[in-house]
Amino acid sequence: MQVSEKGQVTIPKHIRVAAGVAPGSEVSFSLEGSKIVITLVATGVKDDRRAKLRAAAARVKGSLSPEFRQLGAVEIMAFLRGDEPAPTSLRRGRR
């Protein structure tokens, strides 16, 4: 494998997959004798953001009152906008 003028190389796909290195991952470099060692520090940014968002959504969902949990998407959006409650025909589970 050839190193570019900027010192860049491409990590072969089978090695990236086996090591869990994805786009946005953070790696570190170290020397062990004459060997260059690449170590995965953190996984991809997208996966990390999604995990944090899911965790935050779970915390919010757990803090909702039972009455609020029964609302459908239309009712929640109306509540957030400050609109009047949705007509009964549009409420979740009542058609």
Side-chain angles (χ1 to χ4, degrees):
M1 181 170 301
Q2 191 171 22
V3 179
S4 74
E5 291 181 23
K6 293 183 177 183
Q8 298 169 329
V9 294
T10 299
I11 304 170
K13 184 175 181 176
H14 70 280
I15 294 175
R16 291 191 317 260
V17 170
V21 177
S25 294
E26 186 177 337
V27 296
S28 68
F29 295 86
S30 60
L31 280 174
E32 291 183 7
S34 62
K35 294 181 182 179
I36 299 171
V37 178
I38 303 171
T39 305
L40 180 63
V41 175
T43 60
V45 173
K46 286 184 180 179
D47 293 338
D48 188 44
R49 287 182 182 166
R50 287 181 183 148
K52 287 181 181 177
L53 182 58
R54 285 187 185 109
R59 285 192 305 272
V60 169
K61 186 176 181 181
S63 70
L64 297 176
S65 68
E67 295 82 19
F68 197 81
R69 287 184 199 171
Q70 298 302 314
L71 297 178
V74 172
E75 294 167 305
I76 291 171
M77 291 307 297
F79 171 78
L80 293 173
R81 286 190 302 263
D83 297 344
E84 293 295 318
T88 306
S89 62
L90 293 178
R91 293 186 184 173
R92 189 168 111 197
R94 298 181 191 126
R95 295 181 190 215

